Amino acid sequence: MNEKQKRVAQVGKSWQKTKSEQTKTAILNAALDCFLSIGFNNTTTEKIAKQAKVSRGAMLHHFPQRLDLIRASVQHLHRKRLEAFEETLSKLNENADFTLVGEGIDAFWDQLQSPLFAVYCELLVASRTDAELKGMLAPAIRDFQTAWREKSEGIFPDLAQSEQYGLATALTRYLLEGIAFNAQASEGQVLNAQAKIAIEWLKSTVRDMFQDVQISKSALTAGDHQPKQSPTSEQGDGQRAESPRLV
């Protein structure tokens, strides 16, 4: 085989690999769509194949067993949630020298209104009586939480310096996810008066927890660990500077 033939063959392999990955992704997206629209217990491989517009043979090529498909779907769901979290929060804070705490909480709340979180809730409930699903979901959730923590530390490097960072992020996740989870069974308005009060309390509490943050994101990026004037630290004239992260 000459060089030209080798290049043609390589292009062909690359195209086949790309097409295969596209088909696999379409199947996984279809699985999540089915979990959302008809529920986990009503979802079959045949319905997923129909939703993905692929043949039974293509489905079996990528996922020979139903459990393979479920496991991959759980991982796909968590990956998409992490990507959405990272993209939204990174854009929000890209020009802020100190992390925008209040806006960040609002953005995270908005994400919990997405179909991805609804699918997560569906799987969580279904796993209570499905041992196989529970066995897949439990380690996947642990991996998700570890990855979520690592990504959040990268997005919020200033807040990650706080001794309260772990507690503050856990409080934010558990409170907002709890409200959003209960809202799945509610009709009409997602946020009632008590939930709104709880979220405003969360913002105030988390801001107070990060009062020990003294280093800006730009200082950390530059490798300068000399404390930059904190948005909430005392100024020389006894006044407090207005903080861009405490809006």
Side-chain angles (χ1 to χ4, degrees), residues 6 10 24 26 30 49 51 60 107 163 171-172 182 186 226:
K6 288 181 180 179
Q10 187 63 39
K24 183 177 180 179
Q51 178 72 19
L60 293 175
E163 293 182 359
L171 176 63
T172 300
N182 283 301
S186 302
Q226 290 297 318

Side-chain angles (χ1 to χ4, degrees), residues 92-244:
L92 176 66
N93 288 283
E94 61 183 355
N95 295 318
D97 205 21
F98 287 88
T99 295
L100 302 169
V101 173
E103 290 88 338
I105 289 174
D106 286 335
F108 184 48
W109 169 255
D110 288 342
Q111 282 191 15
L112 296 179
Q113 313 312 306
S114 75
L116 293 176
F117 185 71
V119 173
Y120 170 68
C121 293
E122 168 66 22
L123 295 179
L124 202 60
V125 172
S127 70
R128 189 182 70 83
T129 55
D130 189 316
E132 289 181 333
L133 176 59
K134 188 174 185 178
M136 298 176 194
L137 201 56
I141 290 174
R142 288 195 295 269
D143 291 343
F144 173 84
Q145 291 173 343
T146 298
W148 192 92
R149 172 66 183 260
E150 291 174 350
K151 286 185 180 296
S152 68
E153 289 178 354
I155 299 170
F156 317 129
D158 53 334
L159 302 186
Q161 305 302 308
S162 173
E163 293 182 359
Q164 300 272 31
Y165 184 74
L167 178 59
T169 54
L171 176 63
T172 300
R173 281 192 55 241
Y174 294 147
L175 179 60
L176 294 186
E177 288 184 357
I179 295 173
F181 184 86
N182 283 301
Q184 295 291 322
S186 302
E187 295 182 359
Q189 193 174 17
V190 174
L191 271 180
N192 58 30
Q194 289 185 328
K196 291 179 180 179
I197 292 173
I199 292 177
E200 290 306 312
W201 170 86
L202 175 65
K203 293 178 184 178
S204 177
T205 300
V206 171
R207 287 166 180 155
D208 288 343
M209 294 173 77
F210 288 139
Q211 292 303 308
D212 61 337
V213 174
Q214 298 289 321
I215 303 174
S216 68
K217 292 194 292 183
S218 60
L220 286 167
T221 302
D224 177 13
H225 284 229
Q226 290 297 318
K228 187 173 180 178
Q229 187 67 49
S230 169
T232 57
S233 62
E234 296 288 350
Q235 300 296 303
D237 59 0
Q239 299 296 317
R240 290 183 179 270
E242 184 176 353
S243 166

Side-chain angles (χ1 to χ4, degrees), residues 25-36:
T25 299
I27 293 171
L28 294 176
N29 285 335
L32 300 187
D33 289 341
C34 288
F35 296 158
L36 178 67

